[in-house]
Amino acid sequence: MTLFNPHGTLKLAIEENIILLEAQGPWNIEYIEYLHQELSKAVTQVDHNNYGVLFTPKGEAISVEEGLEYHLRFLRRGNTQAISLNLAHCTTSLLTENLFTKLYRAAGIEHAFFDNAFDARLWLEQILQKTTVST
């Protein structure tokens, strides 16, 4: 098997119970593995029972087919309450919205798409607040 370097870039930060993820594609399977390692580390720094992800894809936000299946298995093992996507910097926004809708529906994750970071974060904070109130 040939091993490749991860294709894509990743910036990750944490603010309260929100994991801020900026990723530029296209992504290969090695990148997806790296992403999973970094996300697993980030989850240890938030309330595991009530956290969300604000995902800002940049450029070509697409993956190889096996990467999507691999990521779906990872998502199903996780515990995120919701994922908001800011598509303001995505050059493949329609394709990305279609792919990630299928992915997040299959994983049973509440999600929404936005064209700016403010609205994406506001929606996510509202979801997390509802979860806090209901527990």
Side-chain angles (χ1 to χ4, degrees), residues 42-104:
V43 169
T44 66
Q45 300 175 48
V46 295
D47 177 355
H48 182 71
N49 295 312
N50 191 36
Y51 71 95
V53 176
L54 195 164
F55 176 29
T56 302
K58 295 186 172 188
E60 294 180 35
I62 55 177
S63 173
V64 294
E65 183 71 29
E66 67 181 353
L68 294 172
E69 289 298 318
Y70 185 57
H71 192 54
L72 176 59
R73 289 191 300 274
F74 176 82
L75 290 171
R76 286 180 170 156
R77 290 190 310 264
N79 197 32
T80 186
Q81 296 300 311
I83 299 174
S84 62
L85 291 93
N86 169 17
L87 298 177
H89 307 287
C90 182
T91 59
T92 57
S93 57
L94 292 176
L95 177 60
T96 299
E97 187 169 339
N98 185 33
L99 288 172
F100 282 93
T101 294
K102 289 178 185 176
L103 185 69
Y104 297 141

Side-chain angles (χ1 to χ4, degrees), residues 21-37:
L21 171 66
E22 286 185 14
Q24 184 163 347
W27 306 298
N28 61 1
I29 193 71
E30 291 81 6
Y31 175 87
I32 303 293
E33 289 175 355
Y34 172 68
L35 171 67
H36 292 171
Q37 292 170 5

